[in-house]
Amino acid sequence: MHTNRTPVCGGQFVDNDGPSANYTNNLDSTTTICPTTPGQIVSVVFNTFDTEATYDALYVFDGNSIGAPQITSTNPAGNVPGGLAGGFWGTAVPGPFVSTSPDGCLTFRFISDNTQNRPGWTANVVCAQDSDKIVLVAFVDSNSNGIKDTGELLFPHGSFIYQQNSDGINVNGYSPTGQFALFDTNPANTYSFSYALQSQFASYYNSGTTTYSNISIAVGSGPQFLYFPITLTQSYNDVTVSIAPVTAPRPGFTYVNRITYKNQGIATANGTITFAKPPQITTFTVSQAGAVNNVSGFTYAFTNLLPNETRTFTVTMNVPLVPTVNINDVITATASITAPADDMDATNNASSNSQIVVNSWDPNDKMESRGKTIPFNTFTQDDYFFYTIRFQNNGTANAIDVKIEDVLNVLKIDAESVRMVSASHNYTMKRINNRLVWDFKNIFLTTSTANENGSRGYVQFKVKLIPGFQAGDIIPNNASIYFDSNPAIVTATFNSKFTVPLAVETFDSNSLALYPNPATNSVNIDLINTNEQISRVVFYDILGKIVKAVSTTATESLTVDVSDFPKGVYLVEITSDTNMKLSKKLVIQ
């Protein structure tokens, strides 16, 4: 058996049995690679990679131990011994991986089962001077000495608040690891920093009064680490579960949901996840070994979920053909997690996701978990909207960086209530007033032609509405997705509207929303407070001539391109699926 020496800067990192032999079975080995020169960081670039898919996985951690934040793949636990999610397997070359840890190290853990073995991997280890940057680190100060000691965990349940040049504009920086990097090539800029706990954790921790002022990033300074000690004031438990739609449901195709569960408490947790499939779905598979199917879905008993640990698995459902499901039908899946009696937040112990059945779909899109219509009497000012933004690399080369921007409706959405739920990859998020920016640095997102599953990603967050919303209100939202330096891909606008149950069917001017009006490039047509659906839309000019006609499968919402219309006034006639008609004026400017 080949014994692998600890890799060094400029050397190679190979599996335990070397580059010319298959790795052995029943492995659980850990390799930590650190720089030999202070101020440098480790990068590991894989040249070859071949492990048994779903059974043998390589896990990557951003630091000098497996207790460091994990750099995750989108893979679930599969059948890997120990049931750990987020490992890398198969033949797709992972990485490269670049350390962002204060020690500059990366740690790799490889686990194999007791059957097949494969060639493993070869990789180059590169050490280089770290970038000029400020790294903000929040950590649980177990001994209250104000210093981050070995073994003290990072703290992810808050935001770093900073201003540039005392301009009065607060930027809220968030990271799921508790560590946030700020880059700036202008050494004249200065920054001030503070830290704020998320409101639900304010009763259990004390963030102290640590602040920093007049911090700049000098050329050649390398990384500066600024620490924010957080102290625990009382014990608590908190487990969470969420569902994210990885693909959209299409008749005759598979529909994938990703279930994420995590332990936000301070003690190890055991429990059960219960999944209820959409009633239209009859067959499905679960990637998590040990799941027990039943007539409505399945249950899965998990054990030893450590504090701050996140696990995932996928549910792949077979969508029936038309007419069992039809275009624009809504299918809903739910998941719940058992929680200790003293779980501090019962609202995150269940998750529901409703998706609209489509004929074809754009892999770069945005949606809200309830679908496009929300019964007004089922939603309160304490409830959240759950948004998912999906993206996919359909280019010809790996995307090194991905960025997402989302400008929340300032009149409808309370931007300060934003909370992350889950994401497919490691990220940082900034909030500047109502503008959200996610950065996936060094994501190296593969192409869809090379690896369909590995080319996808998503972010999922929740947000509250500003009190005062009413039946008939429409909440619009979209997002811009950037792959490296390419122009933005702007998702279609997702409109959520509040409806009321109707005792008597009505169809009048109050049933039709036409916006924006005046319009320039496109106009949204929504039916509200009615059970009617749009089947045809006709645009007439002032002389009564038909300018454009659009027929559609029955739907409550429609967006029409009017960018080629001359400026002027038009009459828009909407015909419903029961042949009722409404008309409104539209101004093109």
Side-chain angles (χ1 to χ4, degrees):
M1 177 178 178
H2 174 82
T3 301
N4 182 33
R5 294 183 177 179
T6 300
V8 296
C9 298
Q12 268 204 329
F13 172 39
V14 298
D15 61 88
N16 293 62
D17 284 83
S20 59
N22 288 5
Y23 58 79
T24 53
N25 296 326
N26 297 313
L27 287 174
D28 188 349
S29 62
T30 299
T31 301
T32 297
I33 311 172
C34 290
T36 54
T37 303
Q40 290 190 338
I41 58 171
V42 167
S43 300
V44 175
V45 182
F46 282 81
N47 303 310
T48 63
F49 193 83
D50 187 351
T51 70
E52 186 185 6
T54 79
Y55 290 92
D56 303 335
L58 181 68
Y59 298 86
V60 187
F61 302 87
D62 190 10
N64 63 5
S65 74
I66 60 173
Q70 185 180 352
I71 302 174
T72 59
S73 74
T74 57
N75 290 329
N79 299 289
V80 180
L84 301 177
F88 297 87
W89 62 50
T91 57
V93 175
F97 301 103
V98 181
S99 174
T100 65
S101 174
D103 52 34
C105 303
L106 289 172
T107 296
F108 298 84
R109 181 184 182 186
F110 181 61
I111 300 176
S112 63
D113 69 353
N114 60 0
T115 54
Q116 296 184 31
N117 51 25
R118 298 186 67 82
W121 64 86
T122 61
N124 295 328
V125 178
V126 179
C127 297
Q129 190 66 30
D130 201 355
S131 305
D132 299 337
K133 61 185 176 182
I134 295 171
V135 183
L136 309 175
V137 181
F139 68 98
V140 179
D141 190 9
S142 302
N143 56 10
S144 300
N145 68 351
I147 300 172
K148 188 179 184 308
D149 298 307
T150 301
E152 290 183 329
L153 299 176
L154 297 178
F155 182 81
H157 306 304
S159 297
F160 302 99
I161 302 172
Y162 62 92
Q163 288 187 15
Q164 184 187 76
N165 301 325
S166 301
D167 60 7
I169 301 174
N170 280 342
V171 178
N172 292 262
Y174 174 80
S175 161
T177 65
Q179 185 169 281
F180 184 91
L182 175 65
F183 299 85
D184 193 340
T185 58
N186 185 353
N189 288 332
T190 61
Y191 293 87
S192 60
F193 300 97
S194 60
Y195 189 83
L197 294 166
Q198 291 179 357
S199 57
Q200 66 268 40
F201 291 93
S203 299
Y204 304 95
Y205 291 94
N206 182 0
S207 59
T209 58
T210 302
T211 59
Y212 298 89
S213 301
N214 297 317
I215 306 297
S216 60
I217 305 176
V219 175
S221 61
Q224 302 177 65
F225 292 90
L226 306 180
Y227 292 92
F228 294 83
I230 311 296
T231 54
L232 180 69
T233 57
Q234 62 174 311
S235 61
Y236 68 98
N237 292 299
D238 186 29
V239 292
T240 76
V241 68
S242 63
I243 303 178
V246 178
T247 60
R250 298 173 59 188
F253 289 80
T254 56
Y255 167 45
V256 180
N257 280 192
R258 188 183 192 194
I259 295 180
T260 301
Y261 61 108
K262 54 188 173 182
N263 183 1
Q264 297 185 154
I266 63 171
T268 299
N270 304 319
T272 300
I273 292 172
T274 301
F275 176 82
K277 64 179 179 59
Q280 300 94 326
I281 301 294
T282 56
T283 59
F284 63 91
T285 58
V286 187
S287 66
Q288 177 62 61
V292 179
N293 291 359
N294 53 48
V295 293
S296 59
F298 66 84
T299 59
Y300 169 64
F302 64 90
T303 59
N304 200 34
L305 186 65
L306 301 176
N308 284 344
E309 184 180 3
T310 299
R311 298 179 187 173
T312 65
F313 59 90
T314 57
V315 183
T316 302
M317 294 170 275
N318 297 307
V319 182
L321 295 170
V322 175
T324 304
V325 297
N326 296 286
I327 309 304
N328 295 318
D329 284 355
V330 175
I331 62 175
T332 302
T334 61
S336 62
I337 188 170
T338 56
D342 56 349
D343 188 277
M344 76 167 192
D345 185 2
T347 64
N348 59 24
N349 298 148
S351 178
S352 176
N353 179 62
S354 296
Q355 291 287 290
I356 301 167
V357 177
V358 298
N359 186 28
S360 62
W361 69 288
D362 186 341
N364 301 291
D365 65 2
K366 180 167 186 179
M367 65 203 69
E368 202 278 324
S369 66
R370 293 172 178 80
K372 290 187 175 181
T373 58
I374 304 172
F376 181 69
N377 60 356
T378 67
F379 194 90
T380 73
Q381 65 180 28
D382 293 323
D383 289 326
Y384 282 91
F385 268 23
F386 287 80
Y387 282 116
T388 301
I389 304 171
R390 298 187 291 206
F391 56 90
Q392 183 176 32
N393 180 10
N394 287 320
T396 58
N398 288 0
I400 299 172
D401 300 322
V402 175
K403 181 174 74 173
I404 301 173
E405 292 190 2
D406 186 342
V407 179
L408 302 175
N409 188 302
V410 69
L411 299 177
K412 301 288 188 180
I413 296 177
D414 177 9
E416 293 188 0
S417 70
V418 170
R419 297 289 185 270
M420 282 299 298
V421 176
S422 67
S424 58
H425 299 78
N426 287 341
Y427 66 92
T428 59
M429 184 186 79
K430 292 183 292 187
R431 180 179 68 82
I432 307 96
N433 297 322
N434 65 320
R435 176 171 166 258
L436 308 179
V437 181
W438 290 266
D439 282 304
F440 295 87
K441 294 290 187 182
N442 297 315
I443 188 174
F444 292 95
L445 191 69
T446 188
T447 64
S448 56
T449 54
N451 184 344
E452 174 70 19
N453 290 331
S455 67
R456 298 193 188 108
Y458 71 88
V459 295
Q460 189 177 51
F461 67 97
K462 63 181 182 179
V463 66
K464 289 184 177 181
L465 300 186
I466 296 172
F469 54 89
Q470 300 176 0
D473 280 358
I474 296 172
I475 317 297
N477 198 261
N478 64 5
S480 298
I481 303 168
Y482 299 83
F483 293 89
D484 295 324
S485 57
N486 294 304
I489 297 172
V490 181
T491 69
T493 299
F494 190 92
N495 295 305
S496 302
K497 65 179 180 181
F498 289 106
T499 61
V500 293
L502 299 176
V504 179
E505 181 62 35
T506 60
F507 194 62
D508 54 28
S509 60
N510 294 322
S511 304
L512 176 59
L514 199 70
Y515 62 97
N517 193 2
T520 304
N521 296 313
S522 63
V523 62
N524 299 304
I525 304 167
D526 283 343
L527 294 184
I528 56 178
N529 302 331
T530 179
N531 293 325
E532 297 291 316
Q533 293 189 314
I534 301 167
S535 65
R536 181 174 170 83
V537 178
V538 181
F539 294 80
Y540 298 90
D541 64 15
I542 58 174
L543 299 178
K545 178 183 177 182
I546 295 178
V547 179
K548 189 169 191 174
V550 179
S551 297
T552 178
T553 303
T555 180
E556 296 172 339
S557 302
L558 187 67
T559 300
V560 179
D561 182 6
V562 294
S563 59
D564 58 344
F565 283 24
K567 294 181 180 179
V569 178
Y570 297 81
L571 183 69
V572 185
E573 181 186 75
I574 290 88
T575 303
S576 76
D577 56 339
T578 61
N579 212 31
M580 301 177 72
K581 293 185 178 183
L582 280 176
S583 298
K584 274 197 175 183
K585 287 183 179 179
L586 171 67
V587 176
I588 301 296
Q589 64 179 15

